[in-house]
């Protein structure tokens, strides 16, 4: 009864970085009936893995769903199963994603995973490329119902693990794209210094989350005081780097004369809102060091991957 799933599902080898936001936390949830008031659908998004949601027993087809509130490029979904001995009932099911239509009668859900075996205690599905969606449903076919201790959904980070460069170099430029907030990149104290990442493909840039090394100063230049800073995008993988002469050859996504703090989000407030982007760069005309714990580039959900269709939700 099921069509073939052609997407490659990768089991997580690394835990998402603490920088990535869990999209489902306290979002709107619902499920196919309720076992009792003690097990509402919201128990699967309360940040606590010791309690769980639980659908009414005695129904053959069971589902749980969350509305993310907006369309995202979903990079990973992590399921925490109910603890033993009843976790074994959580089998013969999987995950579906719906792009945007909130209609429950829609037949436009995409099945992105399915398994007959019992879900393990913790299971992460990574999606490369990401899958666009606003609604996510977990389903199973079992008379004992569907229980979920917790569900985590994270947006796809296009800069993660991608090749990075900087000038003039000090600490490794790739440290700003490694998913580890404890390791940082650094340029030497200089005017017109820059850092950039090659995303490896073109995306529609939506926003970037930047974690600057905090509280570090060198010759009166503090990295957390990163100022006179341009946020640049480029649709090609050209090897030319930003400087005062060629900055107009880049798309100036935004600019800040003053420090934006240690952690902040920037979207484009000049020119095109969602520029086609292959490279993203941070360029400062101030005499300073550019020290970055993490730079996370996110896309405007545009690259729809559809693999199969089924009547909601399973
Ligand atoms: Ca929970
Ligand atoms: Ca890092």
């Amino acid at each position: 009864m099921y069509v073939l799933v052609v997407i490659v599902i990768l089991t997580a080898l690394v835990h998402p970085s603490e920088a990535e936001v869990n999209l489902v936390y306290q979002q709107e949830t619902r499920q196919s009936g309720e076992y009792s008031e003690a097990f509402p659908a919201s128990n699967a998004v309360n940040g606590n893995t010791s309690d769980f949601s639980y659908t009414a027993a005695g129904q053959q087809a069971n589902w749980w769903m969350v509305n993310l509130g907006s369309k995202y490029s979903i990079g990973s979904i992590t399921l925490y199963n109910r603890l033993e001995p009843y976790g074994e009932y959580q089998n013969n099911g999987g995950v579906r994603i719906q792009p945007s239509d909130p209609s429950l009668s829609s037949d436009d859900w995409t099945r992105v995973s399915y398994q007959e075996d019992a879900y393990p205690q913790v299971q992460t599905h990574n999606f490369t490329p990401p899958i666009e969606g606003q609604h996510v449903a977990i389903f199973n076919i079992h008379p004992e119902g569907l229980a979920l201790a917790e569900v985590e959904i994270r947006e796809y980070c296009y800069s993660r693990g991608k090749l990075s460069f900087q000038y003039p170099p000090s600490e490794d430029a790739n440290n700003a794209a490694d998913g580890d907030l404890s390791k940082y990149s650094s340029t030497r104290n200089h005017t017109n210094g820059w850092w950039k990442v090659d995303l490896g493909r073109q995306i529609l840039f939506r926003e970037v989350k930047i974690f600057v090394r905090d509280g570090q100063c060198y010759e009166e230049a503090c990295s957390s005081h990163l100022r006179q800073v341009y946020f640049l995008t480029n649709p090609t993988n050209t090897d030319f780097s930003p400087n005062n002469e060629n900055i107009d050859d880049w798309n100036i996504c935004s600019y800040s004369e003053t420090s934006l703090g240690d952690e902040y989000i920037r979207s484009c407030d000049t020119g095109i809102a969602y520029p086609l982007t292959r490279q993203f760069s941070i360029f400062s005309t101030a005499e300073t060091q550019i020290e970055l714990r993490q730079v996370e580039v996110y896309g405007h959900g545009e690259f729809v991957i559809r693999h199969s269709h089924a009547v909601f939700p399973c």
Side-chain angles (χ1 to χ4, degrees), residues 3-4 12 77 91 100 105 107 118 133 158 178 185 200 220 249 266 269 273 295 303-304:
V3 295
L4 288 175
I77 298 176
N91 57 18
S100 60
S105 61
D107 62 355
Y158 285 96
D178 63 355
S185 68
E220 299 182 350
D249 294 334
R266 297 294 284 187
D269 53 19
V295 177
F303 299 93
V304 180

Side-chain angles (χ1 to χ4, degrees), residues 42-53 148-151:
S42 58
N43 272 6
V45 294
N46 63 1
N48 182 358
T49 56
S50 64
D51 62 14
F52 56 89
S53 64
L148 291 164
E150 203 67 13
V151 177

Side-chain angles (χ1 to χ4, degrees), residues 11-285:
T11 301
L13 299 177
V14 294
H15 194 276
S17 87
E18 59 185 292
E20 292 180 318
V21 174
N22 179 10
L23 297 174
V24 304
Y25 186 60
Q26 295 188 332
Q27 291 286 16
E28 174 193 347
T29 54
R30 54 195 305 179
Q31 59 187 358
S32 56
E34 210 152 280
Y35 186 82
S36 80
E37 291 182 354
F39 307 102
S42 58
N43 272 6
V45 294
N46 63 1
N48 182 358
T49 56
S50 64
D51 62 14
F52 56 89
S53 64
Y54 192 21
T55 64
Q59 300 182 29
Q60 187 65 16
N62 314 286
W63 53 265
W64 173 99
M65 66 167 286
V66 61
N67 180 355
L68 302 179
S70 186
K71 194 184 301 182
Y72 289 97
S73 294
I74 295 171
S76 73
I77 298 176
T78 299
L79 306 180
Y80 293 80
N81 197 359
R82 177 184 180 180
L83 295 174
E84 298 294 349
Y86 300 108
E88 64 188 60
Y89 294 148
Q90 308 311 309
N91 57 18
N92 199 24
V95 178
R96 294 192 187 284
I97 296 177
Q98 188 192 47
S100 60
D101 185 350
S103 169
L104 294 184
S105 61
S106 169
D107 62 355
D108 202 24
W109 289 75
T110 299
R111 190 173 71 168
V112 296
S113 81
Y114 174 76
Q115 65 186 60
E116 293 184 350
D117 298 336
Y119 300 164
Q121 193 59 52
V122 182
Q123 181 182 45
T124 296
H125 298 295
N126 287 331
F127 307 114
T128 301
I131 299 176
E132 182 184 70
Q134 177 173 340
H135 299 83
V136 173
I138 316 301
F139 67 93
N140 74 352
I141 310 293
H142 199 290
E144 293 296 331
L146 172 64
L148 291 164
E150 203 67 13
V151 177
E152 296 176 352
I153 302 175
R154 289 185 164 78
E155 195 173 2
Y156 188 81
C157 176
Y158 285 96
S159 53
R160 173 70 60 83
K162 298 301 191 302
L163 208 52
S164 305
F165 310 88
Q166 62 187 358
Y167 177 81
S170 178
E171 299 290 337
D172 190 346
N174 293 303
N175 285 351
D178 63 355
D180 181 352
L181 288 174
S182 69
K183 295 167 66 179
Y184 60 91
S185 68
S186 179
T187 63
R188 295 198 306 276
N189 200 32
H190 202 271
T191 55
N192 299 330
W194 52 264
W195 175 93
K196 69 176 183 178
V197 60
D198 178 4
L199 303 178
R201 57 171 291 182
Q202 288 183 322
I203 68 164
L204 293 181
F205 175 93
R206 191 187 89 239
E207 67 179 23
V208 59
K209 296 178 182 176
I210 297 174
F211 298 78
V212 176
R213 189 185 184 203
D214 52 347
Q216 304 298 317
C217 301
Y218 176 73
E219 293 180 355
E220 299 182 350
C222 299
S223 57
S224 60
H225 296 168
L226 188 59
R227 62 197 188 284
Q228 296 172 33
V229 57
Y230 291 88
F231 304 91
L232 307 170
T233 65
N234 196 307
T236 72
N237 64 343
T238 175
D239 60 2
F240 76 80
S241 302
N243 58 52
N244 273 339
E245 283 69 44
N246 72 5
I247 193 165
D248 289 338
D249 294 334
W250 290 66
N251 172 55
I252 299 176
C253 180
S254 68
Y255 172 79
S256 180
E257 179 71 21
T258 57
S259 167
L260 295 165
D262 297 336
E263 300 180 8
Y264 51 87
I265 295 174
R266 297 294 284 187
S267 53
C268 290
D269 53 19
T270 62
I272 306 167
Y274 306 116
L276 191 64
T277 301
R278 168 71 187 254
Q279 291 189 91
F280 172 80
S281 181
I282 295 171
F283 169 62
S284 174
T285 57

